[in-house]
Short mmCIF file of all heavy atoms in Angstrom, two decimals:
data_model
loop_
_atom_site.label_atom_id
_atom_site.label_comp_id
_atom_site.label_asym_id
_atom_site.label_seq_id
_atom_site.Cartn_x
_atom_site.Cartn_y
_atom_site.Cartn_z
N GLU A 154 102.77 105.52 123.56
CA GLU A 154 104.21 105.69 123.65
C GLU A 154 104.93 104.37 123.38
O GLU A 154 105.95 104.33 122.73
CB GLU A 154 104.58 106.19 125.05
CG GLU A 154 106.06 106.53 125.23
CD GLU A 154 106.45 107.84 124.56
OE1 GLU A 154 105.55 108.55 124.11
OE2 GLU A 154 107.65 108.11 124.48
N GLY A 155 104.38 103.25 123.88
CA GLY A 155 105.03 101.96 123.73
C GLY A 155 105.07 101.43 122.32
O GLY A 155 105.71 100.42 122.06
N LEU A 156 104.41 102.08 121.37
CA LEU A 156 104.40 101.60 120.00
C LEU A 156 105.64 101.99 119.23
O LEU A 156 105.86 101.52 118.14
CB LEU A 156 103.17 102.15 119.27
CG LEU A 156 101.84 101.65 119.79
CD1 LEU A 156 100.71 102.31 119.04
CD2 LEU A 156 101.75 100.15 119.66
N ARG A 157 106.46 102.87 119.79
CA ARG A 157 107.65 103.28 119.07
C ARG A 157 108.65 102.13 118.99
O ARG A 157 108.71 101.29 119.88
CB ARG A 157 108.30 104.49 119.74
CG ARG A 157 107.42 105.74 119.65
CD ARG A 157 108.12 106.94 120.20
NE ARG A 157 108.44 106.77 121.61
CZ ARG A 157 109.23 107.59 122.28
NH1 ARG A 157 109.79 108.59 121.67
NH2 ARG A 157 109.46 107.39 123.56
N PRO A 158 109.48 102.07 117.91
CA PRO A 158 110.42 100.97 117.75
C PRO A 158 111.33 100.81 118.96
O PRO A 158 111.77 101.79 119.55
CB PRO A 158 111.21 101.37 116.50
CG PRO A 158 110.28 102.25 115.75
CD PRO A 158 109.51 103.00 116.80
N ARG A 159 111.61 99.56 119.34
CA ARG A 159 112.50 99.28 120.46
C ARG A 159 113.77 98.62 119.97
O ARG A 159 113.77 97.88 118.99
CB ARG A 159 111.79 98.36 121.47
CG ARG A 159 110.65 99.04 122.20
CD ARG A 159 109.86 98.04 123.01
NE ARG A 159 109.04 97.23 122.11
CZ ARG A 159 108.26 96.25 122.55
NH1 ARG A 159 108.20 95.97 123.82
NH2 ARG A 159 107.52 95.55 121.70
N VAL A 160 114.87 98.86 120.63
CA VAL A 160 116.15 98.34 120.17
C VAL A 160 116.49 97.00 120.83
O VAL A 160 117.44 96.34 120.46
CB VAL A 160 117.29 99.34 120.47
CG1 VAL A 160 117.10 100.59 119.66
CG2 VAL A 160 117.35 99.68 121.96
N THR A 161 115.72 96.60 121.85
CA THR A 161 115.96 95.31 122.48
C THR A 161 114.66 94.55 122.60
O THR A 161 113.57 95.11 122.47
CB THR A 161 116.53 95.48 123.90
OG1 THR A 161 115.60 96.23 124.69
CG2 THR A 161 117.86 96.21 123.85
N GLY A 162 114.74 93.25 122.86
CA GLY A 162 113.53 92.46 123.06
C GLY A 162 113.50 91.26 122.14
O GLY A 162 114.40 91.03 121.34
N SER A 163 112.45 90.50 122.24
CA SER A 163 112.29 89.30 121.44
C SER A 163 112.17 89.64 119.97
O SER A 163 111.68 90.69 119.59
CB SER A 163 111.03 88.57 121.90
OG SER A 163 110.72 87.52 121.02
N ALA A 164 112.63 88.74 119.13
CA ALA A 164 112.61 88.99 117.69
C ALA A 164 111.42 88.33 117.03
O ALA A 164 111.54 87.62 116.05
CB ALA A 164 113.90 88.48 117.06
N SER A 165 110.25 88.52 117.58
CA SER A 165 109.05 87.95 116.99
C SER A 165 107.99 89.01 116.81
O SER A 165 107.85 89.89 117.64
CB SER A 165 108.49 86.83 117.87
OG SER A 165 108.14 87.33 119.13
N ALA A 166 107.27 88.92 115.70
CA ALA A 166 106.21 89.89 115.43
C ALA A 166 104.97 89.50 116.19
O ALA A 166 104.81 88.38 116.65
CB ALA A 166 105.92 89.94 113.94
N SER A 167 104.04 90.45 116.31
CA SER A 167 102.76 90.13 116.94
C SER A 167 102.03 89.11 116.09
O SER A 167 102.22 89.03 114.88
CB SER A 167 101.91 91.37 117.09
OG SER A 167 101.55 91.86 115.82
N ALA A 168 101.20 88.35 116.72
CA ALA A 168 100.51 87.29 116.01
C ALA A 168 99.60 87.85 114.93
O ALA A 168 98.99 88.89 115.10
CB ALA A 168 99.69 86.47 116.98
N ALA A 169 99.55 87.14 113.83
CA ALA A 169 98.60 87.51 112.78
C ALA A 169 97.20 87.24 113.30
O ALA A 169 97.01 86.50 114.26
CB ALA A 169 98.87 86.69 111.52
N PRO A 170 96.18 87.84 112.68
CA PRO A 170 94.82 87.63 113.16
C PRO A 170 94.46 86.16 113.25
O PRO A 170 94.76 85.38 112.35
CB PRO A 170 93.98 88.35 112.09
CG PRO A 170 94.91 89.36 111.52
CD PRO A 170 96.27 88.73 111.55
N GLY A 171 93.84 85.78 114.34
CA GLY A 171 93.47 84.38 114.55
C GLY A 171 92.18 84.04 113.86
O GLY A 171 91.64 84.82 113.07
N PRO A 172 91.64 82.88 114.16
CA PRO A 172 90.41 82.43 113.49
C PRO A 172 89.26 83.40 113.62
O PRO A 172 88.45 83.54 112.72
CB PRO A 172 90.11 81.11 114.22
CG PRO A 172 91.45 80.63 114.71
CD PRO A 172 92.19 81.89 115.08
N ALA A 173 89.19 84.13 114.76
CA ALA A 173 88.07 85.05 114.96
C ALA A 173 88.08 86.17 113.94
O ALA A 173 87.06 86.75 113.62
CB ALA A 173 88.12 85.63 116.37
N GLU A 174 89.29 86.48 113.44
CA GLU A 174 89.39 87.57 112.48
C GLU A 174 89.47 87.06 111.04
O GLU A 174 89.59 87.82 110.10
CB GLU A 174 90.63 88.43 112.76
CG GLU A 174 90.51 89.29 114.00
CD GLU A 174 90.69 88.48 115.27
OE1 GLU A 174 91.50 87.52 115.27
OE2 GLU A 174 90.00 88.77 116.26
N GLY A 175 89.46 85.73 110.88
CA GLY A 175 89.68 85.17 109.56
C GLY A 175 88.69 85.64 108.52
O GLY A 175 89.02 85.78 107.36
N SER A 176 87.45 85.85 108.92
CA SER A 176 86.45 86.27 107.95
C SER A 176 86.70 87.67 107.45
O SER A 176 86.28 88.03 106.36
CB SER A 176 85.06 86.19 108.58
OG SER A 176 84.97 87.04 109.72
N ALA A 177 87.38 88.49 108.27
CA ALA A 177 87.62 89.88 107.88
C ALA A 177 88.94 90.07 107.17
O ALA A 177 89.15 91.07 106.51
CB ALA A 177 87.56 90.78 109.13
#
Side-chain angles (χ1 to χ4, degrees):
E154 186 75 9
L156 295 177
R157 293 185 298 170
R159 291 171 286 179
V160 295
T161 60
S163 170
S165 61
S167 66
E174 288 77 35
S176 60

